[in-house]
Amino acid sequence: VIKCKAAVAWEAGKPLSIEEVEVAPPKAHEVRIKIVATAVCHTDAYTLSGADPEGCFPVILGHEGAGIVESVGEGVTKVKKGDTVIPLYIPQCGECKFCKNPKTNLCQKIRITQGKGVMPDGTSRFTCKGKQIYHFMGTSTFSEYTVVADISVAKIDAAAPLDKVCLLGCGISTGYGAAVNTAKVEPGSTCAVFGLGGVGLAVIMGCKIAGASRIIGIDINKEKYAKAKEFGATECISPQDSKKPIQEVLVEMTDGGVDYSFECIGNVGVMRAALEACHKGWGVSVIVGVAAAGQEISTRPFQLVTGRTWKGTAFGGWKSVDNVPKLVTEYMSKKIKVDEFVTHTLPFDKINEAFELMHSGK
């Protein structure tokens, strides 16, 4: 058993608490990882807020991490002690019908137990002050050591800087893949990206790499426009600057609508606007943002009858074990940006400040 520091969420709506936790050794087909760096994501904040129907407490959150394998359980063959790895919130078992289908990356092998906050055998590897602590998204990267299923880990280039590539565990991969895998943006196309946080910037990067000629960034926070243009946005607009609905503004700006739109916020009203900003006959709108529990999307069916397509994506459609190492290689060869997404680097005990910076849009 390893004793180490972790940021424990004891209950919903309260700040994280840095505690000493015990991390049990990995069982069969499990891997214990020394986490070197972790990023914070809105999904962590969503669960912490208490709005997540799958949220269980007390829990160690975090799902964008990178580290070194400390030990492996019986039967683990893909990684060994000392390997550099990224934990995966969407695993890839290679055996289930989802893994065998090239149309999806949604491996279901450990979905039920992962959603309940436990390892595949139904138990936890974390204890604190004599209490069992739940796992989160199969990763729990807000801990100096964590235990994950062996299908939830990708071995990456040992030379990669872990304080950067941890971002490929969720946000950057999600946005980039939404553009290149899910939408399959084509050269010369016009794109609209709603929400210019980390995921939105990654969508912009993907659209640019795919050869889009016009990329419109949409956000009410104008402080984000300069960064969006660095990533490839050709122009940025705020919905608050017009009395007309944003979809009407975009349809006018683009002679009938955009070829591809992306919702990167998790707001069902914006999801509708993103669809309706698409061009009749061929426009494709991709939902990337995760809406709160119980919310529903709506539009007039005529929008779809007249040739628009509404799609969704999770982790950018990447089959995780196969593709995360390739994404790290693309970063190392400077095909995709990662360093530019990092705004602040804080010590672990300042993790609550990191959430405050995220909520303030900084």
Side-chain angles (χ1 to χ4, degrees):
V1 175
I2 289 178
K3 289 187 175 177
C4 67
K5 282 196 299 186
V8 177
W10 288 107
E11 55 184 299
K14 295 279 167 67
L16 301 176
S17 176
I18 302 289
E19 306 278 4
E20 183 181 80
V21 298
E22 293 87 43
V23 185
K27 294 189 183 179
H29 293 289
E30 295 178 3
V31 179
R32 187 159 61 180
I33 302 168
K34 179 183 186 186
I35 297 287
V36 175
T38 185
V40 297
C41 172
H42 271 284
T43 312
D44 303 306
Y46 167 62
T47 298
L48 186 59
S49 74
D52 181 355
E54 274 196 347
C56 12
F57 296 88
V59 64
I60 295 173
L61 299 170
H63 63 284
E64 290 187 340
I68 312 290
V69 174
E70 177 274 332
S71 58
V72 298
E74 192 190 332
V76 175
T77 56
K78 297 268 175 74
V79 294
K80 61 185 187 302
K81 182 178 177 175
D83 282 349
T84 305
V85 293
I86 290 177
L88 307 168
Y89 73 91
I90 294 182
Q92 187 186 348
C93 73
E95 295 165 0
C96 70
K97 66 180 179 182
F98 288 80
C99 282
K100 286 180 171 169
N101 190 322
K103 294 178 181 175
T104 184
N105 62 330
L106 296 174
C107 173
Q108 296 294 294
K109 183 82 175 268
I110 58 172
R111 179 71 196 91
I112 309 281
T113 48
Q114 182 172 315
K116 289 177 178 165
V118 289
M119 294 300 289
D121 73 346
T123 62
S124 168
R125 302 290 163 269
F126 298 119
T127 47
C128 180
K129 298 178 180 171
K131 285 186 182 154
Q132 172 183 290
I133 308 292
Y134 286 109
H135 293 249
F136 177 68
M137 290 175 76
T139 53
S140 289
T141 59
F142 293 172
S143 175
E144 291 179 322
Y145 287 85
T146 189
V147 179
V148 305
D150 64 353
I151 59 171
S152 303
V153 64
K155 180 183 170 180
I156 62 162
D157 183 342
L162 301 188
D163 61 331
K164 306 295 194 296
V165 296
C166 61
L167 292 170
L168 293 170
C170 177
I172 297 177
S173 306
T174 296
Y176 176 44
V180 300
N181 296 332
T182 310
K184 296 184 169 63
V185 171
E186 294 154 324
S189 54
T190 298
C191 303
V193 181
F194 291 77
L196 301 177
V199 174
L201 293 176
V203 171
I204 289 172
M205 175 176 78
C207 292
K208 185 181 179 183
I209 289 170
S213 59
R214 192 172 179 192
I215 304 168
I216 305 164
I218 300 122
D219 203 298
I220 56 175
N221 181 352
K222 294 187 176 178
E223 286 173 14
K224 297 193 171 187
Y225 293 178
K227 194 72 148 171
K229 286 176 180 167
E230 261 176 62
F231 276 87
T234 52
E235 62 221 279
C236 294
I237 58 173
S238 168
Q240 295 176 337
D241 285 352
S242 171
K243 290 194 172 125
K244 290 180 181 170
I246 187 68
Q247 52 266 56
E248 288 182 25
V249 174
L250 285 160
V251 166
E252 282 175 17
M253 281 173 67
T254 56
D255 184 30
V258 298
D259 302 311
Y260 300 97
S261 69
F262 301 85
E263 198 279 354
C264 307
I265 303 160
N267 177 313
V268 293
V270 178
M271 290 172 190
R272 177 174 190 160
L275 175 80
E276 295 177 0
C278 281
H279 202 288
K280 182 190 284 190
W282 63 77
V284 174
S285 187
V286 181
I287 294 172
V288 193
V290 178
Q295 297 200 320
E296 297 184 352
I297 48 172
S298 63
T299 189
R300 297 194 318 284
F302 192 68
Q303 292 285 334
L304 300 174
V305 171
T306 49
R308 293 171 194 81
T309 304
W310 220 344
K311 300 182 89 165
T313 187
F315 195 54
W318 302 108
K319 285 194 185 273
S320 58
V321 173
D322 291 345
N323 286 295
V324 167
K326 292 176 185 170
L327 291 166
V328 171
T329 303
E330 286 194 3
Y331 157 65
M332 300 290 277
S333 63
K334 297 195 160 51
K335 185 188 170 186
I336 61 172
K337 296 182 197 284
V338 174
D339 297 11
E340 294 82 354
F341 285 88
V342 179
T343 57
H344 298 74
T345 304
L346 301 168
F348 187 37
D349 55 10
K350 298 268 178 77
I351 191 161
N352 288 307
E353 286 182 33
F355 277 96
E356 285 162 23
L357 286 163
M358 181 173 67
H359 289 307
S360 66
K362 297 190 169 113

